[in-house]
């Protein structure tokens, strides 16, 4: 399985959107500051995840979410849970 995930920084409440095949491992790499684009705002918490059968499907959804211009759209997705 592949996943699209949204993380929220515990430092400044910003969001990070990504995709992977192992969310627990990926969250750990973010929180260990091993990801250049997120290390500045660690620690992170997982606030949303979606499951897909293929990497291609997950990446398409990741791109779609990243294309949203307003932070409020991401917040609505996170709060829909």
């Amino acid at each position: 399985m592949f996943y699209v995930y949204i993380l929220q920084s515990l430092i400044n409440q910003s969001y990070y959107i990504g995709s992977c095949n192992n969310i627990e491992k990926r969250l750990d790499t973010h929180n260990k500051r091993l990801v250049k684009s997120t290390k500045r705002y660690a620690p992170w918490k997982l606030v949303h995840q979606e499951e897909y059968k293929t990497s291609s499907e997950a990446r398409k959804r990741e791109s779609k979410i990243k294309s949203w211009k307003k932070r409020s759209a991401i917040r609505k997705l996170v709060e829909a849970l």
Side-chain angles (χ1 to χ4, degrees):
M1 285 289 150
F2 296 88
Y3 303 90
V4 172
Y5 61 89
I6 300 176
L7 303 179
Q8 187 171 28
S9 169
L10 297 177
I11 299 294
N12 69 352
Q13 306 306 309
S14 63
Y15 292 109
Y16 177 83
I17 298 111
S19 61
C20 65
N21 63 353
N22 184 329
I23 290 180
E24 293 81 17
K25 183 177 177 182
R26 189 64 177 152
L27 179 59
D28 190 48
T29 61
H30 284 290
N31 282 329
K32 287 182 177 176
R33 300 173 190 253
L34 300 175
V35 180
K36 185 177 180 180
S37 62
T38 62
K39 68 181 180 180
R40 183 175 179 184
Y41 300 111
W44 296 88
K45 67 178 178 177
L46 180 67
V47 294
H48 181 77
Q49 71 183 45
E50 299 175 4
E51 187 175 294
Y52 294 91
K53 291 183 180 181
T54 67
S55 174
S56 176
E57 290 175 314
R59 291 188 185 272
K60 283 179 188 176
R61 177 63 170 160
E62 175 189 0
S63 293
K64 178 70 173 173
I65 295 171
K66 285 181 174 180
S67 74
W68 296 346
K69 300 299 180 197
K70 295 186 178 183
R71 178 183 165 110
S72 61
I74 296 171
R75 192 176 310 120
K76 284 181 186 177
L77 178 62
V78 168
E79 292 172 356
L81 299 175

